[in-house]
Amino acid sequence: MAELATKGEGAGADSSNRAVGTLTIQLGILLSLACALATNVGFLLKHRGACAAPDVSLRHPVASAVGLFRSKWFTFGMLVALGAWGFHVAALALAPLSLVQAVISGGLVFLTVMAERFFGCNVGTRQWAGVGLTALGLVLLAATLPHQGGAHSSYSLAAMIAFESALLAIGTFLVLSPQLHSHEHHGAMLGVAAGILFGVSDVAIKALTGAVGAQGALGLLSPWLLTCVLASVIAFFASARGLQKGEAVPVITLTSAAANVTAISGGILVFGDPMPKNTVGIVMQSFAFVLVIGAAALTPAPLRAAQANA
């Protein structure tokens, strides 16, 4: 009888733990949706402010930052983005990285509607198609990722170092490469670079949430805090300059797509978020990546951008 009672208590505890885990992940999803909405509103506000500010120059970072923050729209957009960042950190502490980023990717649907209805942006057919394909591809990618309970904060140190170093180097190269500065799609390329660096920051934040949860404030004494700050600072200037050089919807879409793909890849490669175990799932994931790549070709709409600049 005692043995049966013990087994019953164990089963009850497991059921309770699963219920708590499910509730935690659901709260993480809700915070991710709030983050998605606030992120896109912040981007649109920053675009309006950046276009009214002096040109951003990495050679004069302090003067560029002062010029940006003198624009009330940019400052307001940064405050909204700061709120979105808070939602993001809280979501990463509660749910797997790949799941959080996949939910946030659905926020691209908000982007085109808000840009056209509330910010006066002229969103063409190609841009609608590009944003729609990006959102669909990222949502399919999310749907095919099997998710388990827990926030998945443990990671492989070797994979973390390799992933963060490689993506930080790629993003920084795209920002600093002089050959790309005269390219007709410079704004879009800066958006991609900023997105990659934001993704690097997200992966570092995910590692920090696990360290802080286990060690308290001592968890902040980590090289990933420096990685997060460095990637975020470079991404800040790249994103602001990209918003000055390109149209709002294409640049924001490519920034979001690059950040989400980078972070989802980090969830899989660094934190061991599970991959599909059947052929259908693998095919769907491959199709999702094809959609995102195809959308990237559509979204910049070079003919429309050239006409607008003319």
Side-chain angles (χ1 to χ4, degrees), residues 54-70 74 233 236-237:
D55 287 350
V56 171
S57 172
L58 289 176
R59 295 180 180 179
H60 307 287
V62 176
S64 295
V66 170
L68 287 169
F69 281 103
R70 281 179 177 169
F74 188 87
V233 169
F236 168 80
F237 288 107

Side-chain angles (χ1 to χ4, degrees), residues 24-36 84-107 138 142 145 147 150-151 202 205-206 209 259-260 263-264 267 273:
T24 300
I25 291 178
Q26 288 174 346
L27 180 57
I29 291 173
L30 183 62
L31 290 168
S32 300
L33 287 171
C35 173
W85 181 81
F87 287 134
H88 195 183
V89 172
L92 288 174
L94 297 173
L97 175 59
S98 57
L99 178 59
V100 169
Q101 295 304 135
V103 173
I104 290 175
S105 69
L138 291 171
L145 288 173
H147 298 295
D202 292 340
I205 289 172
K206 180 63 178 177
T209 61
N260 285 316
I264 290 172
D273 290 354

Side-chain angles (χ1 to χ4, degrees), residues 71-193:
S71 168
K72 64 178 182 180
W73 287 110
F74 188 87
T75 301
F76 188 34
M78 283 300 298
L79 290 174
V80 174
L82 183 62
W85 181 81
F87 287 134
H88 195 183
V89 172
L92 288 174
L94 297 173
L97 175 59
S98 57
L99 178 59
V100 169
Q101 295 304 135
V103 173
I104 290 175
S105 69
L108 286 174
V109 176
F110 301 141
L111 172 64
T112 41
V113 176
M114 292 188 298
E116 191 169 55
R117 299 289 176 86
F118 303 111
F119 287 84
C121 297
N122 182 21
V123 184
T125 304
R126 285 186 66 182
Q127 291 181 345
W128 273 103
V131 172
L133 287 176
T134 302
L136 177 60
L138 291 171
V139 169
L140 280 177
L141 183 59
T144 55
L145 288 173
H147 298 295
Q148 299 172 355
H152 293 196
S153 295
S154 59
Y155 58 89
S156 162
L157 181 60
M160 184 75 169
I161 293 173
F163 184 87
E164 294 287 81
S165 300
L167 272 296
L168 184 61
I170 291 171
T172 304
F173 170 77
L174 290 175
V175 174
L176 299 179
S177 175
Q179 289 83 4
L180 300 179
H181 289 184
S182 59
H183 197 282
E184 60 179 324
H185 304 316
H186 185 207
M189 290 184 177
L190 283 173
V192 171

